[in-house]
Amino acid sequence: QARMAGVNSCRWFTESMNTKVQQRFEFENALRKAHSQREFELYYQPKLDIGSGRVAGVEALLRWNRPGCGLVSPGEFIPVLEETGLIVAVGAWVIDEACRQAALWKEAAGQPFHIAVNVASRQFAEGNLEDIVRQALLAHDIPPAMLSLEVTESAVMADTERAADMLAALRRLGVQVAIDDFGTGYSSLAYLKRLPVDTLKIDIAFIREVTRNPGDAALVDAIIAMAHSLGLDVVAEGVETAEQLAYLGRRRCDQIQGYYFSRPLPAAQCAALLGNQSAMAAEAAPGVPQRT
Ligand code: C2E
Ligand code: MG
Ligand code: MG
Ligand code: MG
């Protein structure tokens, strides 16, 4: 097998320390360029409201169209954006771009759709997140309640004081806050009670085996019960099967997100899905005879 250390800049090789450093350097430079060259794109994954069977909104997910390499997944480049601090600028773009897209959908459908955006902990610490969010909402005329910010449990736990302050400030703007990847970050339940949030998103790790592993099922049941007793909505991430959906429905989970309903889609494809949704809504509107 040929070794192409230093040649293929799309992959990381571990042959030598130098190669690794070199690769990392190139990767960082490519990411820096990506931002100015507009190589980033948002995909959108719908969330399904289990009770009504309707799309409850979408989550914006960052993608990188790296020239010569195709679509690079967030798992590969988000950690580097975070380590380099580039996430602050890219994250601001994500918020503005998601609001811009939401405004287009609102205009096309005549009604606003809920849109969620992921926020990294460095955006709390370094960017002026509150101003960035306020400006994006104003610029695109999006009602604040239509925007959710998703922050991971581990980011919140890394600096609980600052996180709580920042989340409270964001909620005063009228936007919603969701704790992402819940269940993986060892937050204490007592702390959760004091955290100003609206929604818990149960991490995919607990959903994967929920219909087969009694331990996971017990944890999911407990998270849903606890969230509801605190007045929070619950979203299950990574739902891939009808069995998982049925289980979560029985447990009164509020929403699901996952490949079973839809993968993350480019804006145009997602619009088709949301368009069908408004057609469905029009059909079910009061005054229109219901089929039974
Ligand atoms: P996340 O916010 O928890 O997003 C859910 C991830 O699960 C997404 O991965 C999504 O594509 C994937 N997923 C959804 N349904 C299923 C399913 O049924 N099965 C499986 N196996 N996976 C599913 P993605 O898009 O690769 O994003 C990974 C993570 O990268 C996100 O996790 C989020 O933490 C981060 N991320 C993505 N976009 C942004 C962004 O704009 N800013 C920041 N700060 N982080 C982002
Ligand atoms: Mg998320
Ligand atoms: Mg998650
Ligand atoms: Mg509810």
Side-chain angles (χ1 to χ4, degrees), residues 256-269:
I256 59 136
Q257 194 177 357
Y259 297 168
Y260 179 70
F261 182 60
S262 173
R263 286 180 177 261
L265 302 168
Q269 283 175 47

Side-chain angles (χ1 to χ4, degrees), residues 59 118 150 180 201:
E59 176 178 4
N118 293 285
E150 298 191 358
D180 209 341
K201 299 188 75 177

